[in-house]
Amino acid sequence: MTPQAKLIFAISLLLGTTIVISSNHWVTIWAGLEINTLAILPLIAKSHHPRAIEAATKYFLTQATASTLLLFSATTNAWYTGQWDITQLTHPAACLILTSALAMKLGLAPFHFWFPEVLQGSSLTTALILSTAMKFPPMTLLLITSPSLNPTLLTSMAILSAALGGWMGLNQTQIRKILAFSSISHLGWMVIIVSYNPKLTLLNFYLYALMTTTVFLTLNVIKTSKLSTLMTTWTKTPAL
């Protein structure tokens, strides 16, 4: 991939994220999320390996479904209330659909199955972007719309994510899959806090992003993707 193409995709990612976090209208938020999805797809599939193509396809289908649900939720709310404002989501069905859409976007259980597979098919740098930067727009939406979301469904999914993330990560030998399940578990804790203290959730997310970035960058330097190869890294780079 040429540097110009990488620059275009990076700018598109920034643009999509900025649109989402600064918008007040559901349609512009949906557009921002779509720009983000389309910008990351070539980065996932850049190695042209069948596993990478499969990961890109899975990511596209999941994110497209989640974005469609989000738009459907906003349209349902607008149909009943006449409001397109992000803070005016009051219709119960719309709240339920939005909760599901955001859970799918973030990779909360039981919508988590795509995340480990996509991370496994991506390079370490792309996996880092998927684990941190791509979680930021839906996390922002979760914080802004937290009073409107369905608390029962949200809490159930959060508990399930925290349990499944920790439990399923035990059985893995691939580091990217372990980090994917770690991400699912962390998300569970963030989501369970969101209805009580959104600022604490944001702090949790920042700390998670910082730790994940450190781990991914270290693994990228020592070119490690399996647990078994971690054993020999002490001799190669003792400092790291």
Side-chain angles (χ1 to χ4, degrees):
M1 191 182 282
T2 60
Q4 290 91 334
K6 279 185 182 174
L7 182 66
I8 289 167
F9 297 137
I11 291 168
S12 300
L13 276 174
L14 282 170
L15 175 70
T17 306
T18 310
I19 288 171
V20 173
I21 62 178
S22 60
S23 290
N24 231 12
H25 196 284
W26 278 115
V27 176
T28 45
I29 283 168
W30 170 78
L33 289 169
E34 288 297 307
I35 291 169
N36 256 6
T37 303
L38 291 173
I40 196 75
L41 285 173
L43 295 174
I44 299 171
K46 71 179 177 205
S47 66
H48 299 295
H49 189 274
R51 191 181 277 275
I53 305 297
E54 184 190 338
T57 310
K58 281 179 180 174
Y59 185 78
F60 171 71
L61 290 172
T62 313
Q63 296 299 313
T65 308
S67 294
T68 309
L69 279 174
L70 185 130
L71 196 61
F72 180 56
S73 159
T75 312
T76 307
N77 191 64
W79 180 270
Y80 284 101
T81 63
Q83 285 285 345
W84 281 98
D85 195 282
I86 186 172
T87 55
Q88 302 295 320
L89 198 82
T90 51
H91 193 265
C95 294
L96 195 71
I97 296 164
L98 180 72
T99 309
S100 305
L102 288 178
M104 201 179 285
K105 276 263 171 211
L106 287 162
L108 270 176
F111 304 109
H112 68 289
F113 295 104
W114 63 272
F115 193 57
E117 299 295 325
V118 171
L119 241 64
Q120 187 56 36
S122 315
S123 67
L124 281 166
T125 317
T126 311
L128 169 61
I129 296 168
L130 284 167
S131 300
T132 54
M134 295 305 288
K135 295 274 173 84
F136 191 57
M139 188 53 78
T140 310
L141 277 179
L142 191 79
L143 289 166
I144 296 168
T145 59
S146 55
S148 310
L149 299 174
N150 187 300
T152 314
L153 182 63
L154 207 59
T155 309
S156 306
M157 288 193 295
I159 293 167
L160 194 62
S161 296
L164 274 178
W167 182 45
M168 293 177 81
L170 293 172
N171 200 25
Q172 305 299 327
T173 55
Q174 296 285 340
I175 290 174
R176 275 168 294 185
K177 277 198 174 178
I178 293 171
L179 286 165
F181 284 116
S182 158
S183 176
I184 292 162
S185 189
H186 276 289
L187 273 171
W189 292 113
M190 285 181 229
V191 169
I192 211 161
I193 307 165
V194 79
S195 46
Y196 306 105
N197 194 338
K199 283 184 180 175
L200 198 59
T201 300
L202 201 58
L203 176 66
N204 195 332
F205 180 74
Y206 289 149
L207 287 172
Y208 156 75
L210 191 68
M211 289 189 299
T212 307
T213 307
T214 311
V215 173
F216 270 111
L217 292 178
T218 307
L219 293 171
N220 202 28
V221 169
I222 58 182
K223 299 281 180 286
T224 304
S225 61
K226 285 183 185 168
L227 273 181
S228 53
T229 51
L230 266 182
M231 294 170 189
T232 58
T233 52
W234 171 254
T235 51
K236 283 193 272 181
T237 49
L240 280 175

